[in-house]
Amino acid sequence: MHPMLKPALRRAWRGRNTVQFGVTPAHAVKLGPVDIATGSFLELLDGTRGLPLLREEARALDLSDHQVDTLVRRLGNAGLIDDVRAGGPEAAALRNRADVLERQRPDLASLSVIHPEPGGGMRRLAARRAMRVQVRGAGRVGAAIAAVLSGSGVGRVEVLDGGVTEPSDVAPGGLPAAAVGERRDTAARQLVRRSAVGSTHRATGTADAAAGGTSAGGPSASGGPGLSLVVVAPRDGLAVYAPDPRAAEPWIASGIPHLYAGVIEATGVVGPLVLPGGTACAGCLALTRTDRDPQWPRMLTQWRSGRRNAVQACDLGLATAVAGLAAAHALSFLDGELPASTGARWEAALPLLDWRSEQVGAHLDCSCGAGGHTVGERPSGLGTTQDTMAG
């Protein structure tokens, strides 16, 4: 072990014998009592020394081997220690990619703060490179989500959409003005490649429209990994606000997690993140709305069959905020957490932009089987939640 104090956490003395690591309440940790010798020893924890050398240099500070081991253990239990060599073989391989690490140091620093175990940040960053995510939609929201996921190190990002890029699709961080007139799938594929970290990234696009498309799960046609997540971000925000349960049936049947995100009538929507069999799905949402408002299905049919060429009220700032929040929730899930959108929907409407969340309960009459399952638990086969650092 080559212990290193996590550099992302700023350090400050609260008094003569107490050190605080971190600024914000979510991740700040206080350590005390700390005497002069211990404070000097903290400066040695920079990742360049193994424990034997640390013990040897600590003796010059009148610190015993037991004191050194106890202090390192306390720092580790508090989530303050990283190990520059930990994380497994995938992390070791990533450390040899200087071009990737230089670009992703902020991502790695963030992951090291969130995950307390030594090497936890590097291990998760390396794990992203083996994941496959599908984004359904290449408008102002979907294209930006795909770019962020690609730039965050997700190994394979696919974008499904049809038609050609229109001027209204152009957005900073999304499809560029030069893509107007090109096929949306082609433009999205190029965007993902430009955003990718390292040369091993694979980006695919397809002309299958966001409402339908290719097989929902399992290995890709080229023999790659199965889908880790589907992000549903169609250009028509109604398909997010009131998603069609039939479109999600293949994901439910295949056990593929999926997250909804979009903008409708100047209202941003992120969620729910659906864990098939564990949390409420689009069918649960439809049944619950019908229970509350029996006229809902009648109106929804009219809205879905109405003017297809109506201009979407999708403010650029709001679309960018939705894309960023959705991408952050997606990455949190891919890294092993259950973000706040799990079984819940976040909404914010212009002009006040007051983000509010509403729990989406599983409906007992829905065929997805989530009724009665405890929200916050992953159904079997979806992995386990990683431990998070106590603030």
Side-chain angles (χ1 to χ4, degrees):
M1 182 179 185
H2 283 60
M4 173 181 64
L5 287 173
K6 293 185 176 179
L9 294 173
R10 299 169 187 250
R11 198 185 330 166
W13 289 86
R14 294 183 61 87
R16 298 184 64 181
N17 58 4
T18 303
V19 181
Q20 178 168 316
F21 298 83
V23 178
T24 65
H27 303 293
V29 177
K30 291 181 287 187
L31 179 69
V34 178
D35 56 23
I36 294 176
T38 303
S40 299
F41 176 76
L42 293 178
E43 300 298 331
L44 302 177
L45 298 175
D46 59 4
T48 62
R49 303 167 178 83
L51 279 174
L53 183 55
L54 282 172
R55 296 187 188 107
E56 179 181 337
E57 295 193 19
R59 295 184 196 116
L61 300 172
D62 292 327
L63 294 175
S64 67
D65 291 357
H66 175 71
Q67 288 175 304
V68 169
D69 293 344
T70 300
L71 178 58
V72 171
R73 184 170 59 253
R74 285 183 62 198
L75 292 168
N77 291 339
L80 300 175
I81 287 289
D82 211 341
D83 185 350
V84 298
R85 297 186 178 183
E90 292 80 10
L94 182 56
R95 289 189 185 96
N96 293 326
R97 295 291 306 274
D99 58 327
V100 173
L101 283 184
E102 282 300 315
R103 178 168 160 183
Q104 291 204 277
R105 288 197 185 280
D107 305 270
L108 178 58
S110 177
L111 287 169
S112 74
V113 169
I114 299 169
H115 302 284
E117 73 277 16
M122 181 65 79
R123 178 164 60 84
R124 286 169 175 82
L125 193 63
R128 289 180 183 179
R129 297 174 65 80
M131 294 179 178
R132 174 181 165 224
V133 176
Q134 189 177 92
V135 179
R136 297 209 160 204
R140 286 185 164 190
V141 175
I145 291 174
V148 172
L149 294 179
S150 179
S152 297
V154 176
R156 183 178 181 124
V157 179
E158 303 170 357
V159 185
L160 307 188
D161 210 336
V164 298
T165 305
E166 300 177 0
S168 58
D169 296 323
V170 174
L175 299 181
V180 173
E182 293 183 4
R183 289 167 52 107
R184 281 196 182 92
D185 61 334
T186 301
R189 181 165 57 245
Q190 293 171 346
L191 171 67
V192 168
R193 284 177 174 165
R194 288 194 302 269
S195 305
V197 181
S199 58
T200 60
H201 188 284
R202 300 185 65 190
T204 63
T206 173
D208 292 324
T214 58
S215 60
S220 65
S222 58
L227 282 170
S228 302
L229 178 69
V230 172
V231 181
V232 186
R235 285 170 281 118
D236 182 0
L238 180 63
V240 170
Y241 192 77
D244 186 351
R246 293 171 298 179
E249 287 177 355
W251 309 322
I252 298 294
S254 301
I256 298 174
H258 44 286
L259 171 68
Y260 294 93
V263 176
I264 178 172
E265 296 177 357
T267 299
V269 178
V270 176
L273 169 61
V274 179
L275 308 182
T279 63
C281 69
C284 296
L285 186 61
L287 289 169
T288 299
R289 278 178 165 158
T290 301
D291 289 345
R292 294 176 180 174
D293 181 2
Q295 301 305 316
W296 176 261
R298 180 195 302 272
M299 294 186 297
L300 186 57
T301 299
Q302 297 174 67
W303 290 328
R304 286 175 174 166
S305 61
R307 292 180 302 153
R308 292 288 181 176
N309 296 324
V311 176
Q312 299 293 321
C314 184
D315 175 86
L316 184 56
L318 180 58
T320 304
V322 168
L325 184 60
H329 280 236
L331 289 168
S332 178
F333 175 76
L334 294 173
D335 293 334
E337 303 298 329
L338 292 177
S341 59
T342 308
R345 166 170 281 175
W346 287 82
E347 292 186 16
L350 292 171
L352 299 183
L353 290 171
D354 182 15
W355 284 98
R356 299 177 181 272
S357 67
E358 179 184 2
Q359 201 68 31
V360 181
H363 201 285
L364 293 175
D365 294 335
C366 185
S367 61
C368 72
H373 196 281
T374 302
V375 175
E377 296 180 357
R378 286 181 178 234
S380 60
L382 289 178
T384 57
T385 309
Q386 303 294 334
D387 293 332
T388 56
M389 181 168 67

